[in-house]
Amino acid sequence: MLTALALLAISAVYASVGQAGGTGFLAIMAVSGVPVDQLRPTALAMNVVASAYTTWRLHVAGLIDWRRLATLVVPALPAAFVGGLIALSPGVYTMVTGALLLVAATLMVVRPKEAPWAGGPLSRRSTLAGWAVLGTAAGLLSGLSGIGGGVFVAPALIVLGWARSREAAGLSAPFILGNSIAGLAGALLSGQQLAPEFPLFAAVALLGAALGVVFTRRLSERAIRLVLAGIVSIAGLRLLSR
């Protein structure tokens, strides 16, 4: 029950900033003792549930630039599928995912500043190849680890000046949705299985996404990022110490 409540809170907080919660889901499940071989497919499946709702909400609000999203997602999908097919040994998986969680935690604390040309003509002109490379890298890492990739893509877009914060948030959820579907398909085809508790986890992930905005009105953005960074750091260190 405590695990379900923690996943509910994680889903709500992440949804409020256009994320699905993959890093948080992995963190909570790792701390609660879910077997290593079930972490990746279960986190990816929960990403699908949470990001589908968040994507729908962002689309209704008109916050998704579908043309720019396609440039990012099209190369990411096959990379995520290939990553999902690769069944890493438990030792390698815990090392890779633990390191990625620590990187994600750092990005949550050290918030990148927008480049002065973000979202302008310079950022839209000669970056198609760059967007494709970024999408491919994030897609592969997503499939390999079970992290949706939005936590890496959004800061990268802001730092490079390819999108403003609001635009990056609008691209994160649909990017995570596509990556998670592709990565999950690869993981399931490779014989990996979801945790037995997945139906419960999926239900709380969806409820959390739906309650996201209401939940976060009581906390400042900085407080949310620090709490999440702490949780994700603990999970990353726990995985690395296994």
Side-chain angles (χ1 to χ4, degrees):
M1 181 57 71
L2 288 178
T3 299
L5 290 175
L7 292 172
L8 173 68
I10 288 292
S11 180
V13 172
Y14 273 73
S16 69
V17 290
Q19 301 287 333
T23 49
F25 296 153
L26 281 171
I28 297 300
M29 289 190 292
V31 171
S32 65
V34 173
V36 172
D37 59 348
Q38 296 175 359
L39 286 175
R40 177 170 65 158
T42 305
L44 286 169
M46 293 175 68
N47 276 346
V48 172
V49 173
S51 61
Y53 176 84
T54 306
T55 297
W56 168 75
R57 200 173 74 183
L58 290 170
H59 172 67
V60 171
L63 298 177
I64 301 176
D65 185 335
W66 292 101
R67 180 176 297 180
R68 301 181 82 185
L69 176 67
T71 306
L72 195 64
V73 168
V74 169
L77 294 182
F81 179 75
V82 171
L85 285 173
I86 300 173
L88 300 175
S89 66
V92 174
Y93 175 79
T94 55
M95 289 181 60
V96 170
T97 305
L100 288 176
L101 287 176
L102 292 179
V103 171
T106 302
L107 291 175
M108 290 176 191
V109 175
V110 183
R111 186 175 182 180
K113 295 182 179 180
E114 292 180 354
W117 62 86
L122 179 61
S123 70
R124 296 175 186 273
R125 247 199 326 265
S126 54
T127 57
L128 290 180
W131 281 60
V133 171
L134 176 60
T136 300
L140 183 61
L141 290 176
S142 174
L144 282 172
S145 65
I147 297 171
V151 72
F152 302 119
V153 165
L157 290 175
I158 295 170
V159 169
L160 293 170
W162 295 350
R164 298 191 185 280
S165 297
R166 186 178 182 85
E167 295 169 332
L171 293 170
S172 292
F175 180 80
I176 293 168
L177 176 59
N179 270 347
S180 297
I181 291 173
L184 178 61
L188 295 178
L189 283 175
S190 70
Q192 298 171 67
Q193 297 182 347
L194 301 173
E197 301 88 352
F198 171 68
L200 173 61
F201 291 172
V204 297
L206 178 58
L207 179 59
L211 296 175
V213 175
V214 175
F215 179 82
T216 55
R217 284 177 181 171
R218 299 180 181 275
L219 293 174
S220 69
E221 182 182 350
R222 177 172 176 77
I224 291 170
R225 287 190 286 110
L226 290 176
V227 170
L228 288 176
I231 294 172
V232 172
S233 296
I234 291 171
L237 293 172
R238 180 184 174 102
L239 284 174
L240 288 174
S241 65
R242 283 191 175 186

